[in-house]
Amino acid sequence: MIRFMKLARATAALTTPLTAEDFLALFNPVYSSRQLRGIVTRVAHETEDSATIYFRPGHGWHAHQAGQWARIGVELDGVRQWRSYSLSNAAGHDPAITVKDAGSVSHVLVRDTKPGDVLFLAPPQGDFVLPEHPRSLLMLTAGSGITPVMSMIRTLVPRRPDADVVLINSNSTPEKSLFREELDELADQFPNLTVRHWFTSARGRLQFTAQTIADLCPDWRSRAAYACGPEGFLNDAEDLWQQEAAVEQARTVPNVTAGAEAQAATGTLTIERFSTDLTAGAGHDGGLVTFEQSDREVQADGDTPLLDIGEDAGVLMPSGCRMGICHSCLIPLRAGQVRDLRTGELHNTPGQLIQTCVSAAAGPVNLDL
Ligand SMILES: Cc1cc2nc3c(=O)[nH]c(=O)nc-3n(C[C@H](O)[C@H](O)[C@H](O)COP(=O)(O)OP(=O)(O)OC[C@H]3O[C@@H](n4cnc5c(N)ncnc54)[C@H](O)[C@@H]3O)c2cc1C
Ligand code: FES
């Protein structure tokens, strides 16, 4: 970095009207003192609508832990759009993301990305990571929800003979099942991994009942569980774990340490969500949204996140996960009232920071942007 800074100063005098930054980027596309970048090294097509993009990050990146995710930015029609993607490669390896073509940004990533392209990046984050102390694990995944768990399996299974991992992986068909062959090969090679595929085209939706899960993994209650997949899948898993915890608690109620025992007996369930339910705000009235610094006014309904309202109006909106977890979209509320679309809660304190990705207008709103 110091080497680059000295070079940047030396070249500044020689490169007008190109800045030293532009000049250095010509030689090293991942160089930027302002914005972390990565250069795409390989693209592997996984299924008909998904691809894994390997990249070499520039200065400012730090090694990821298995299960973490990173914000990835791409330019669409001249506007930089950010989305979050789990890092699917093993910890200690160059990072990679595995993306399913599901909308505007993922479409470009899956269909158009090629080696040599530059991605805008933010460093890895997230606490959907392996437990600190070894435990037997149950992984529950569906669709692209396999990506963070794949990183965990790739990290743990070949290196730790004492690991004990059962994966229940749900997909519509074998052809749509990400990493199916690699998972089967790992399970053949390493006795510490058991893979249970569930194909909904043949067996219907995976029912989260104690019996169904026990049929696939008899000792599921004693395992630390991790789940990642669509909303309905995760809600069903959460319901089952809550029911089991309630049953355990009822069984041990006379005991003073009932709470602790219930927790220990049921095991933990750690969930990673790729999207969030924003229906709590449905059907409410919106209002006139004023983006003060950008000098834009838009009439907004009460259900659309202010992030989308601003982007559609051409306002440069900060964003990241777009689902209320990363806080990259915080903007001060100047005046007016917004509704949190997850909870229905109203916020109207001037100066309060609001998450535009999960907040909608609830009357006139002035934003400091
Ligand atoms: C922590 C985290 C990790 C993630 N990891 C991964 C990962 O590993 N792999 C992965 O593929 N994704 C992952 N995601 C999801 C990812 O961030 C994006 O949300 C996803 O790629 C869709 O973004 P997009 O821009 O392509 O879709 P958008 O254009 O933003 O669309 C969002 C959704 O709306 C739907 N939609 C878009 N346009 C329309 C329309 N006109 N009518 C109806 N519906 C529409 C799309 O189907 C899509 O589901 C992760 C998300 C989070 C928060
Ligand atoms: S964009 Fe991540 S919290 Fe809003």
Side-chain angles (χ1 to χ4, degrees):
M1 184 62 188
I2 291 170
R3 193 160 48 86
F4 268 134
M5 282 170 65
K6 280 186 182 155
L7 192 52
R9 275 196 291 271
T11 51
L14 306 172
T15 57
T16 311
L18 276 185
T19 65
E21 186 94 359
D22 299 331
F23 187 74
L24 288 168
L26 289 176
F27 294 100
N28 180 357
V30 294
Y31 171 71
S32 167
S33 60
R34 293 188 295 265
Q35 171 61 61
L36 175 56
R37 300 176 189 185
I39 189 155
V40 174
T41 52
R42 186 156 74 92
V43 178
H45 287 276
E46 302 282 357
T47 64
E48 64 174 15
D49 62 354
S50 64
T52 296
I53 299 165
Y54 299 82
F55 56 94
R56 181 167 46 80
H59 191 82
W61 181 265
H62 60 77
H64 70 282
Q65 289 181 58
Q68 286 193 309
W69 53 276
R71 292 171 57 224
I72 309 284
V74 297
E75 305 262 339
L76 292 187
D77 300 327
V79 178
R80 194 170 301 168
Q81 303 274 359
W82 290 91
R83 296 288 185 275
S84 308
Y85 292 98
S86 301
L87 296 156
S88 52
N89 227 354
H93 289 240
D94 265 0
I97 53 170
T98 302
V99 181
K100 185 172 185 297
D101 181 352
S104 50
V105 172
S106 58
H107 180 79
V108 168
L109 286 169
V110 173
R111 308 290 173 192
D112 300 343
T113 308
K114 52 189 185 318
D117 285 356
V118 172
L119 299 173
F120 300 99
L121 305 172
Q125 56 180 298
D127 40 22
F128 187 74
V129 292
L130 289 165
E132 222 168 288
H133 303 292
R135 291 211 44 191
S136 53
L137 303 173
L138 170 61
M139 307 304 202
L140 300 156
T141 58
S144 56
I146 184 69
T147 50
V149 167
M150 197 62 200
S151 173
M152 293 173 169
I153 288 175
R154 284 170 167 160
T155 303
L156 195 62
V157 166
R159 298 179 201 171
R160 294 290 301 260
D162 59 332
D164 172 10
V165 183
V166 175
L167 166 69
I168 301 174
N169 187 25
S170 172
N171 287 281
S172 54
T173 61
E175 295 70 36
K176 293 204 166 156
S177 178
L178 276 168
F179 312 121
R180 182 172 50 90
E181 284 175 15
E182 183 183 341
L183 283 166
D184 288 342
E185 279 165 22
L186 283 169
D188 284 347
Q189 200 181 343
F190 298 101
N192 57 5
L193 173 67
T194 304
V195 176
R196 305 270 183 236
H197 295 292
W198 183 281
F199 299 119
T200 55
S201 57
R203 305 175 77 178
R205 197 175 151 145
L206 176 64
Q207 300 296 324
F208 274 90
T209 64
Q211 189 56 55
T212 316
I213 303 301
D215 288 345
L216 296 163
C217 176
D219 62 349
W220 68 275
R221 287 186 180 83
S222 63
R223 290 173 178 265
Y226 287 76
C228 186
E231 276 300 285
F233 181 90
L234 296 179
N235 292 343
D236 289 354
E238 211 167 29
D239 286 350
L240 175 60
W241 259 256
Q242 274 168 7
Q243 283 162 23
E244 287 293 311
V247 169
E248 287 295 336
Q249 197 148 15
R251 204 182 292 151
T252 54
V253 139
N255 194 316
V256 180
T257 58
E261 280 185 17
Q263 264 200 331
T266 312
T268 54
L269 173 67
T270 308
I271 284 183
E272 180 80 319
R273 290 181 193 275
F274 285 179
S275 60
T276 196
D277 184 4
L278 297 182
T279 49
H284 295 285
D285 288 338
L288 185 70
V289 182
T290 306
F291 297 93
E292 293 190 354
Q293 293 179 38
S294 314
D295 199 19
R296 300 272 163 87
E297 282 187 347
V298 190
Q299 190 62 42
D301 62 42
D303 306 333
T304 307
L306 291 166
L307 176 57
D308 295 342
I309 298 286
E311 283 178 346
D312 288 349
V315 178
L316 204 55
M317 304 287 294
S319 73
C321 66
R322 306 180 81 89
M323 55 172 289
I325 56 176
C326 75
H327 294 92
S328 303
C329 62
L330 288 175
I331 292 179
L333 180 69
R334 277 281 179 84
Q337 181 162 263
V338 301
R339 175 173 283 106
D340 187 318
L341 295 170
R342 299 164 299 182
T343 60
E345 213 178 321
L346 294 170
H347 299 288
N348 48 25
T349 312
Q352 185 176 6
L353 291 174
I354 57 156
Q355 287 170 283
T356 60
C357 68
V358 291
S359 305
V365 180
N366 284 39
L367 294 173
D368 191 7
L369 191 73

